[in-house]
Amino acid sequence: MSVTVAGIDCGTNSIRLMIVRLHGIINGGVDRDNLEIIVPRIMRVVRLGEGVDVHHEFSKEALERVFAAIDEFSQIISQHKVDAIRFVATSATRDARNRQEFENYIHSKLGIYPDIISGDEEARLSFLGATSVINVSKYQSPFLVVDLGGGSTELVLGGLGKDNCLQVKAEFSMNIGSVRMSERHNLSDAPTQTDIDAAIVDIDKHIEHAARVVPLADVRTIIGVSGTVTTMTAVALGQDVYEQNAVDGVHMPIDNVLEVDERVLRMSRTERDTLTVVHPGRRDVIGAGALVWSRVLEAVRQATAQSGFTVDSYVASEHGLLDGIVLDLARRTEMTRKK
């Protein structure tokens, strides 16, 4: 007996689809060895959150872009006999006043309404996806999963709990991300030092607030997920063309990526266009994303140094929210069948 599910992650900058088949569950959980990837991750940059931070609504152009992606995804899903679909919408949709048009279009194409999840639920699913491929014996716990999106950034601390299973211990969703910070502080094209300084103050305030909930000093392993993290890791590795296998799971010294983050942040848009490893749809916001990533890494390194254990590297991961969506949906669908 198996179940086939489709998951869609619609963020502020991009939308992703994955279809998987689960061949049984073990002790209420999902073993990735029992998970068959039917349609690997497909990503389209749609910039749904363009202007949402300022206007608090979706633009006509943004909706047209995301609707085209939904049309494409619905065609792909129709080619497979899926038992369940979950469409998850995150930061930009939480903030948009005119989201009903968006929701109705999804329902007309997929037969479901989107789940506009909270930051805490986004954090939980990101942690599930990121740690689903972790060899627990290889890394020190607790883990801090950092999911750096276009509109928000989730910090999720977790470690081994009962039955040697990974469990979330603390999480916080910060209302900062690559698109939001780029628009708010004019970071898309050779930003001035004044704009950079203002962005740093803004970002650091959010991190300080998050650190009251998530004890950064307890972190022993940082796992960075999302396009910003993997892209900046690829730049630090000197890639000209994105090579997923070389990025996924790589250990990157924090100092290495901080230097690259700083350089990319200060580039003009023309200079960023020479970074062929960066998706064209990310080039105007990658500097802002790099700055958020740098400030988070610095905050964790400083907090852990004060505790006597300095975290000076991170693990880049291709597995995050979308993986969590399909893993969670597959588990729940299978368990419902067994009742």
Side-chain angles (χ1 to χ4, degrees):
M1 181 68 73
S2 64
V3 296
T4 302
V5 300
I8 298 174
D9 162 22
C10 185
T12 301
N13 196 49
S14 61
I15 185 170
R16 298 171 172 86
L17 166 72
M18 184 188 293
I19 301 176
V20 304
R21 181 172 296 131
L22 177 64
H23 302 280
I25 58 178
I26 300 174
N27 297 325
V30 174
D31 185 338
R32 286 200 79 112
D33 291 339
N34 292 339
L35 199 68
E36 178 186 358
I37 306 298
I38 304 300
V39 176
R41 183 186 295 104
I42 299 173
M43 189 266 291
R44 299 289 179 260
V45 175
V46 293
R47 195 63 60 79
L48 178 62
E50 186 174 46
V52 169
D53 188 57
V54 175
H55 304 294
H56 304 292
E57 64 180 21
F58 297 133
S59 69
K60 178 182 177 182
E61 295 76 16
L63 286 174
E64 288 175 351
R65 291 191 296 267
V66 78
F67 290 168
I70 291 168
D71 290 347
E72 178 189 1
F73 288 179
S74 67
Q75 286 277 353
I76 295 171
I77 292 171
S78 69
Q79 297 169 16
H80 303 272
K81 188 177 180 181
V82 301
D83 299 293
I85 304 171
R86 189 180 187 191
F87 189 115
V88 165
T90 56
S91 177
T93 309
R94 289 195 291 265
D95 295 344
R97 289 188 296 251
N98 62 335
R99 67 191 192 193
Q100 187 171 356
E101 181 182 357
F102 170 70
E103 294 172 345
N104 290 341
Y105 192 87
I106 293 165
H107 186 264
S108 70
K109 291 294 180 177
L110 299 174
I112 59 167
Y113 286 104
D115 288 335
I116 303 171
I117 61 174
S118 67
D120 287 347
E121 173 69 357
E122 185 175 354
R124 183 187 73 83
L125 291 172
S126 294
F127 184 83
L128 172 63
T131 58
S132 66
V133 294
I134 284 291
N135 181 344
V136 176
S137 63
K138 184 178 177 181
Y139 302 98
Q140 283 192 272
S141 174
F143 308 106
L144 180 72
V145 172
V146 183
D147 187 350
L148 201 169
S152 66
T153 297
E154 282 64 50
L155 301 181
V156 198
L157 185 72
L160 293 175
K162 294 180 179 179
D163 301 321
N164 212 35
C165 293
L166 288 169
Q167 295 179 347
V168 172
K169 297 181 178 180
E171 74 276 333
F172 194 88
S173 180
M174 302 183 292
N175 219 22
I176 54 175
S178 60
V179 175
R180 196 184 296 274
M181 290 296 99
S182 186
E183 292 181 351
R184 186 180 296 175
H185 297 290
N186 304 310
L187 302 180
S188 63
D189 190 357
T192 66
Q193 188 61 51
T194 299
D195 287 333
I196 293 172
D197 290 343
I200 289 173
V201 170
D202 191 0
I203 293 165
D204 286 355
K205 283 182 179 177
H206 283 84
I207 295 173
E208 288 168 13
H209 188 53
R212 297 171 194 156
V213 179
V214 180
L216 300 183
D218 293 349
V219 175
R220 292 298 175 264
T221 301
I222 303 171
I223 305 172
V225 304
S226 81
T228 291
V229 173
T230 54
T231 297
M232 293 312 302
T233 302
V235 175
L237 289 170
Q239 293 184 0
D240 294 319
V241 178
Y242 188 77
E243 299 176 23
Q244 177 178 325
N245 291 338
V247 172
D248 189 28
V250 71
H251 265 90
M252 177 63 63
I254 288 176
D255 283 337
N256 289 21
V257 83
L258 290 182
E259 185 276 327
V260 172
D261 286 348
E262 176 74 9
R263 178 161 52 86
V264 171
L265 167 63
R266 295 179 182 277
M267 283 181 175
S268 67
R269 177 57 197 268
T270 301
E271 290 173 317
R272 289 178 189 172
D273 282 340
T274 66
L275 298 173
T276 52
V277 73
V278 181
H279 190 287
R282 293 191 191 280
R283 289 175 189 166
D284 60 332
V285 299
I286 193 64
L291 182 58
V292 174
W293 183 224
S294 290
R295 302 311 296 173
V296 170
L297 290 174
E298 287 276 31
V300 175
R301 182 160 66 175
Q302 290 177 15
T304 56
Q306 292 173 5
S307 71
F309 182 100
T310 303
V311 175
D312 56 8
S313 65
Y314 68 89
V315 180
S317 177
E318 282 279 349
H319 306 278
L321 178 58
L322 182 56
D323 294 75
I325 292 168
V326 295
L327 288 168
D328 185 66
L329 179 60
R331 179 189 60 81
R332 290 189 289 108
T333 303
E334 174 70 2
M335 293 187 73
T336 299
R337 276 188 167 188
K338 289 186 172 183
K339 289 183 179 179

